[in-house]
Amino acid sequence: MVRLLGISGSLRAASYNTGLLRAAQAFASDELMIDAATLHGIPLYDGDVEERDGIPAAVEALKTQILVADGLLLVTPEYNNGIPGVFKNAIDWLSRPGSGIPALFGDRPVAVIGASLGGFGTILSQTAWLPVLRTLGCRQWAGGRLLVSRAGQAFNEDGTLQDDKVRAQLGTFVQDFAAHIRETR
């Protein structure tokens, strides 16, 4: 059994990226479990808050989910040609204290996908994740790529994936990522 944790980098209820994560969960099987995590409740990183109050409960809960996962599926929007602030902020909190980075991220397989209204999908956001993942010591899987462009046509108004071609690409991506994890355990 491979257990993936998918994290959507959007807080919006009808987010295309949250919809993409929900669609990925449909490919779960006896050999693949896909859990979903939210970034709701994670405050803006503030070193004074960390020093005074410690790590917020929402961050600790997400850390627990990551620790039991065999791999991470980051489902990233693209805002202003980069990583959404709310998503990067969550990773910044997760990397605190720095001594915990190896256990949480070290050599953990990570794949990045995303959906965007634009014509290039989330290519710039996905590329911007590379130095972050490298810094954290993750094993970034580059065996596939999924960039959903013109997401307004691929998803309906409530964020449900309705494009069969994208659904098939997503299924192949998720299955290939899970196979990679099985092979490299």
Side-chain angles (χ1 to χ4, degrees), residues 3-5 7 35-37 42 55-72 93-94 96 100 103-105 108:
R3 185 175 193 162
L4 298 179
L5 177 64
I7 305 172
D35 296 318
I42 297 178
I55 305 298
V59 175
E60 290 292 358
L62 187 51
K63 283 183 177 187
T64 299
Q65 288 181 286
I66 291 171
L67 286 170
V68 299
D70 298 309
L72 296 177
W93 263 117
L94 289 166
R96 302 300 304 154
L104 198 62
F105 294 109
R108 189 171 306 280

Side-chain angles (χ1 to χ4, degrees), residues 52-123:
R52 183 185 64 240
D53 303 330
I55 305 298
V59 175
E60 290 292 358
L62 187 51
K63 283 183 177 187
T64 299
Q65 288 181 286
I66 291 171
L67 286 170
V68 299
D70 298 309
L72 296 177
L73 181 63
L74 304 183
V75 189
T76 188
E78 183 170 298
Y79 297 161
N80 300 311
N81 293 335
I83 299 171
V86 68
F87 211 170
K88 179 63 169 64
N89 176 70
I91 298 300
D92 292 342
W93 263 117
L94 289 166
S95 70
R96 302 300 304 154
S99 60
I101 291 173
L104 198 62
F105 294 109
D107 205 36
R108 189 171 306 280
V110 178
V112 184
I113 61 176
S116 170
L117 291 171
F120 297 105
T122 55
I123 193 165

